[in-house]
Amino acid sequence: MRPRRSAAADRTQQNAAMNLVRCKFTIADHELETYIARTEEQRALGLMHRNELGPNEGMLFVCDEVAVQSFWMKDTPVALSIAFLDEDGGILHIDHMEPHSLDSHSSEYPVRYVLEVPQGWFDEHGIAEGDRVVGPVFLNAEAPAAD
């Protein structure tokens, strides 16, 4: 029988997993500082057990395959909004998720990218389906200006 892990050990594992690449994205002239969850372990942990998320912070999930993606809020105490993105960062669908809910929130179309932000962030910034997330991970990302 394995010993039960302490809450401190769980936080240590989460902090190690949260040593994620961070990237700045722009959506309709609004900047968002985003953690990038690329591995299966990082995606599985996501924002679980986080008690807060900065007002302009989020997490981008980069899935292995383009498919219908489903997310829930188990062990996630922060209310979030979720956007399902196409290959070039276009927002296809936005939904809102309540803390600790086991309700599934799914993309309507196959996608690779899923963006989570504090609940209401998209509404507060006038961002809607059809807007585009701009950043280096997306196809046709805007190239930096030449010197």
Side-chain angles (χ1 to χ4, degrees):
M1 184 169 164
R2 284 176 63 166
R4 190 166 170 226
R5 291 181 2 173
S6 70
D10 286 342
R11 280 192 301 278
T12 299
Q13 179 187 8
Q14 178 190 10
N15 289 337
M18 289 304 291
N19 187 15
L20 303 171
V21 171
R22 290 178 63 114
C23 186
K24 194 171 285 190
F25 293 115
T26 304
I27 313 170
D29 294 326
H30 300 284
E31 288 191 350
L32 185 66
E33 190 71 32
T34 309
Y35 295 101
I36 310 295
R38 297 173 297 175
T39 69
E40 186 175 335
E41 180 182 19
Q42 291 168 342
R43 290 189 304 268
L45 185 59
L47 293 171
M48 292 169 73
H49 309 290
R50 295 256 330 230
N51 291 319
E52 61 184 22
L53 191 61
N56 291 306
E57 282 188 326
M59 179 173 277
L60 180 74
F61 296 82
V62 181
C63 302
D64 291 333
E65 297 180 14
V66 175
V68 172
Q69 308 294 339
S70 296
F71 284 69
W72 64 352
M73 294 287 285
K74 181 179 180 187
D75 298 325
T76 307
V78 188
L80 299 171
S81 293
I82 187 169
F84 298 94
L85 313 175
D86 63 17
E87 291 291 308
D88 69 353
I91 299 174
L92 299 174
H93 179 68
I94 294 175
D95 206 349
H96 306 286
M97 304 187 299
E98 296 302 320
H100 302 290
S101 173
L102 299 181
D103 294 342
S104 181
H105 298 268
S106 300
S107 58
E108 297 174 1
Y109 307 98
V111 298
R112 178 181 315 276
Y113 303 108
V114 181
L115 178 63
E116 291 180 345
V117 296
Q119 191 173 82
W121 190 89
F122 295 118
D123 293 337
E124 290 168 15
H125 293 87
I127 296 167
E129 294 172 8
D131 286 335
R132 185 167 170 259
V133 180
V134 177
V137 301
F138 302 109
L139 293 178
N140 302 315
E142 292 181 7
D147 291 331

